[in-house]
Amino acid sequence: MKKTLFCLMVAIALVGCQNDDSDFSAYTDGEATADNAIYIHYNGTSVSVTGDTNGYVSTSGADVIVNTGSATDSLLLVLSGTTSDGSLLVYRQRKFGIRLNGVSIHNSDGPAINNQCGKSLYVEVAAGTTNTLTDGSSYADVTDNDGNAIQQKGALFSEGQLYFSGTGTLNVTGSTKNAIACDDYIVIDDATITATSSTGHGISVNDGFQMNSGTLNIDVTGDGCKGLKNDSTTFITGGTLNISTTGGCVYDEDAADYSSAACIKGDYAINISGGNITLTSSGDGGKGINCDRDVVFSGGSMTVTTTGSNNDAKPKGVKSDTGIIVSGGSFHVTVKKSWACDNGYESADETDQAANCVTIVGTPATQSLAKKSVTIVF
C-alpha cells in the first residue's frame, strides 16, 4: 500500500508541476515581450548576441555565460550557429526556456549546455532543425562567483527540471560522462532526441522520468552503463523509445558484486501504459529492464531482446525485485541465456518458475511463458 501511494504521489507531482509551468507558451508564441528573448548565434570561435537589454550575457570566445541574478522577468534563449569549442552556462533563479534553432555546440572541456538553475528549463527543439550537443574527452573544473565548484554531469546538464518539446531533432553525445543528466526530473512531450554515450549513461535523472510522445533513441557502449538510469519512478505513456546497450559488466567494490549494463535501470517503479518500445542489450549480463520495485505494463508495445553471455552476471530481459505485472498491450521478451523475466520467484521446477515469472491481470489473447521467451498480447 505504501509503495502504491508513493507512485501515485510521484505521478501527481509530475503532472502538477507540468501544469504549473505550462505558461512556457508565452516564450514561443510571441506574447512575451521582445526584451525577454535573447538570441545567441555561435560562429566558430565567437558569438553574436542580440536582445540582451539587461546585460545578462557575457562571452569569452564562444563560451557564453548567462547570469540573470535574482531577476523575475521571463527569459527565452534562442540558440543557433556552430562552434567546435564553445558552451552555454546559465545561472538563474526562475524557470526559463531555451529554443534550439539549428545549433551545434561542442565543448572540448565540459558540458555543451550547463543549466545551474534549480527551476524548470523548457527546451524547445524548433521544427525543421537539427541540433547537436557534444562534450569533450575531459572536464575542466569550474567554479561560480562564490568559488564553489559547479556540477557538470553530462553534455546537457540541468540542476532543475527538464521539459522537452518541439518537432525538431536533437542529438546529444556524452564522451566523458552522461549524454543528458538532470538532478531533478525529465518530461518528454515531443521532439526526436538521440542520446549517445561511450563512458556514461544515455540519460541519468534523479527525481523521475516521464515520456508522453516524441521519439527517444539511446545508444550506450560503456561497461556497466545504462541507457536510462532513473533514481525515482518512470512513466512511459506514449511515443517511440529505442534503447541499445552493448557494454559488459564492471565490478562494484562497495556492493562486492558485478554491475551490468541495462537499457532501463529504475530504483522505483517503472510504469508503461503506452508507446512503442524496443530494448536491446548484447553485453555480458546485460538487461533490458532492471528495476528495484514493480514493473507495471498496461499498454503499448514492448519488445525486449538480450543476447549477452552470463560470464560475470546473468542477463535478463525484464528483472524486478518485487513484481512484473502485465494487464494490457503487447509484451515480448526473449533472451539467449538465463531468464526472460525474473520477478524474484524461484522454484526448483523450471516450468513452475516460468509460469509464475509474470503476474497477468485479465485474459490476454495470446500467452506464452517460458524460461527464455515470454509473450503476452491483449
Side-chain angles (χ1 to χ4, degrees):
M1 181 63 182
K2 290 182 179 179
K3 179 169 56 185
T4 303
L5 180 60
F6 173 84
C7 293
L8 179 61
M9 290 174 65
V10 173
I12 292 172
L14 283 172
V15 174
C17 289
Q18 187 176 5
N19 290 339
D20 289 344
D21 291 329
S22 61
D23 63 343
F24 178 62
S25 60
Y27 301 109
T28 60
D29 63 10
E31 292 179 7
T33 65
D35 290 341
N36 297 330
I38 298 176
Y39 297 83
I40 300 170
H41 183 79
Y42 291 86
N43 186 18
T45 58
S46 64
V47 295
S48 61
V49 179
T50 57
D52 181 24
T53 58
N54 295 305
Y56 292 151
V57 180
S58 61
T59 64
S60 176
D63 291 319
V64 179
I65 297 177
V66 178
N67 191 338
T68 66
S70 59
T72 60
D73 58 345
S74 60
L75 178 67
L76 171 67
L77 305 177
V78 183
L79 310 183
S80 60
T82 300
T83 179
S84 59
D85 190 14
S87 62
L88 174 66
L89 173 60
V90 180
Y91 296 103
R92 183 168 169 82
Q93 297 178 17
R94 293 177 62 87
K95 61 189 177 185
F96 71 104
I98 291 178
R99 181 184 298 156
L100 301 176
N101 196 34
V103 68
S104 176
I105 303 174
H106 173 76
N107 185 1
S108 60
D109 58 1
I113 295 179
N114 188 339
N115 171 40
Q116 287 296 301
C117 174
K119 303 297 183 180
S120 301
L121 166 56
Y122 292 86
V123 179
E124 181 206 3
V125 188
T129 69
T130 298
N131 305 270
T132 303
L133 305 175
T134 61
D135 61 4
S137 57
S138 63
Y139 284 14
D141 293 333
V142 178
T143 58
D144 59 21
N145 291 334
D146 296 323
N148 300 312
I150 67 171
Q151 300 266 25
Q152 303 181 96
K153 296 183 179 180
L156 170 55
F157 172 63
S158 178
E159 289 280 1
Q161 308 93 9
L162 272 174
Y163 292 84
F164 290 96
S165 66
T167 58
T169 298
L170 171 60
N171 301 315
V172 186
T173 300
S175 302
T176 298
K177 299 184 181 180
N178 310 297
I180 300 173
C182 177
D183 275 355
D184 211 293
Y185 60 78
I186 293 175
V187 177
I188 298 178
D189 280 327
D190 212 339
T192 297
I193 302 170
T194 298
T196 306
S197 180
S198 57
T199 57
H201 310 308
I203 294 179
S204 178
V205 58
N206 287 359
D207 294 338
F209 177 88
Q210 180 164 331
M211 181 170 180
N212 300 320
S213 62
T215 299
L216 175 59
N217 303 306
I218 302 177
D219 185 8
V220 297
T221 57
D223 290 345
C225 294
K226 280 65 177 176
L228 167 61
K229 181 182 182 298
N230 182 8
D231 295 343
S232 187
T233 306
T234 300
F235 296 92
I236 300 172
T237 67
T240 299
L241 175 61
N242 303 304
I243 305 179
S244 173
T245 68
T246 60
C249 297
V250 293
Y251 189 74
D252 187 331
E253 295 286 350
D254 294 333
D257 198 1
Y258 285 94
S259 175
S260 58
C263 295
I264 301 177
K265 174 65 174 75
D267 287 355
Y268 287 87
I270 295 174
N271 300 275
I272 300 170
S273 59
N276 296 300
I277 302 165
T278 303
L279 309 178
T280 306
S281 184
S282 61
D284 179 39
K287 296 171 177 62
I289 293 177
N290 187 358
C291 184
D292 293 350
R293 302 289 181 91
D294 286 352
V295 175
V296 181
F297 186 88
S298 60
S301 176
M302 182 170 75
T303 300
V304 181
T305 306
T306 69
T307 59
S309 59
N310 57 353
N311 295 326
D312 293 320
K314 294 182 179 180
K316 305 282 178 65
V318 178
K319 177 184 179 296
S320 165
D321 289 350
T322 58
I324 302 170
I325 301 99
V326 179
S327 62
S330 179
F331 181 92
H332 303 272
V333 185
T334 58
V335 299
K336 184 177 180 180
K337 293 183 179 294
S338 191
W339 286 85
C341 291
D342 178 2
N343 61 356
Y345 180 85
E346 294 185 4
S347 172
D349 185 329
E350 185 175 291
T351 302
D352 176 62
Q353 184 166 337
N356 291 280
C357 66
V358 176
T359 299
I360 300 174
V361 179
T363 305
T366 302
Q367 172 183 325
S368 176
L369 305 177
K371 178 178 181 179
K372 295 184 179 180
S373 178
V374 172
T375 296
I376 304 167
V377 180
F378 280 83

